[in-house]
Each structure stands twice: as C-alpha cells, then as structure tokens.
Amino acid sequence: RRWRMHSNSGEEGWWQFLKLCLQHKTAEQLDETLDLFLTLDEKESIATRYAIVHELLLAQKPQRDIASDLGVSIAKITRGSNALKRTSEKLKRFLSNRMN
C-alpha cells in the first residue's frame, strides 16, 4: 500500500522530481542535484534508512543488534521492518540483488 501526499500538487511535484532524477547519467550528476534539493540532515536520514533496509534484508541480526550497530532507536528499525512488510516480493528481490 502506497502512502499519499497531503495534496495533489505535492504528489505531482514528487513525480516530477523522480522523473528529473531518472534523467541523470551519472551518480555524480544525481548527487549534485540531490545536494540542491535535500539538506544534510535529509541525506543522512536517507543513508540511515538505506543501512536499516539493507540489514533487514540480510536477515542476519536481530533488530536490537541492528539498532545498536547503527546507533539508532529500535523504533526506526521497526518502521523500516514495517515498510518492508508492505513491499512487494519483486522489489525485495531487486533490492537484495543490488544493495551492497
């Protein structure tokens, strides 16, 4: 189940942003664009969420150990776990094969 934005204009802006990101040819170009649109805190939050999802997909550690290793609350791990439960098996396989 997908989340919904508070407004149609917000959702339209999100899809326009995704389309813009897809036009980049290199990680460096995308990084420069993301520097414009995201604060350092937002980038750090995404990096942390990436690490959480990666660890959860590996399924090698209890959630409390993941929280301790990453220096985050167990609530953040739980939110990541709950998001993965709503994710299709197809996407989980895609991520498992590409996240490192």
Side-chain angles (χ1 to χ4, degrees), residues 49-61 63 66 77 80-81 83-85 87-100:
R49 184 63 171 245
Y50 181 97
I52 290 168
V53 169
H54 182 247
E55 289 293 332
L56 289 169
L57 286 170
L58 289 174
Q60 296 175 345
K61 300 178 190 174
Q63 290 185 14
I66 295 171
I77 305 301
S81 177
L84 274 174
K85 289 175 186 172
T87 301
S88 70
E89 290 302 317
K90 182 179 179 181
L91 178 57
K92 287 179 198 174
R93 281 191 305 275
F94 173 87
L95 294 172
S96 291
N97 290 331
R98 288 171 178 80
M99 294 178 89
N100 51 18

Side-chain angles (χ1 to χ4, degrees), residues 2-100:
R2 294 192 33 87
W3 54 273
R4 292 285 176 223
M5 296 220 171
H6 298 293
S7 69
N8 286 341
S9 61
E11 191 161 339
E12 181 180 335
W14 175 249
W15 284 103
Q16 292 300 324
F17 176 72
L18 291 178
K19 290 175 186 176
L20 174 68
C21 290
L22 287 171
Q23 294 178 43
H24 290 85
K25 302 290 185 211
T26 67
E28 291 77 15
Q29 288 174 336
L30 179 57
D31 182 56
E32 189 174 1
T33 297
L34 293 177
D35 279 343
L36 172 65
F37 285 96
L38 301 174
T39 65
L40 181 57
D41 285 344
E42 290 165 333
K43 289 171 70 176
E44 288 176 355
S45 291
I46 291 169
T48 299
R49 184 63 171 245
Y50 181 97
I52 290 168
V53 169
H54 182 247
E55 289 293 332
L56 289 169
L57 286 170
L58 289 174
Q60 296 175 345
K61 300 178 190 174
Q63 290 185 14
R64 291 202 180 279
D65 289 350
I66 295 171
S68 177
D69 291 350
L70 297 177
V72 299
S73 69
I74 191 68
K76 282 192 181 206
I77 305 301
T78 300
R79 285 190 293 273
S81 177
N82 288 339
L84 274 174
K85 289 175 186 172
R86 295 186 303 270
T87 301
S88 70
E89 290 302 317
K90 182 179 179 181
L91 178 57
K92 287 179 198 174
R93 281 191 305 275
F94 173 87
L95 294 172
S96 291
N97 290 331
R98 288 171 178 80
M99 294 178 89
N100 51 18

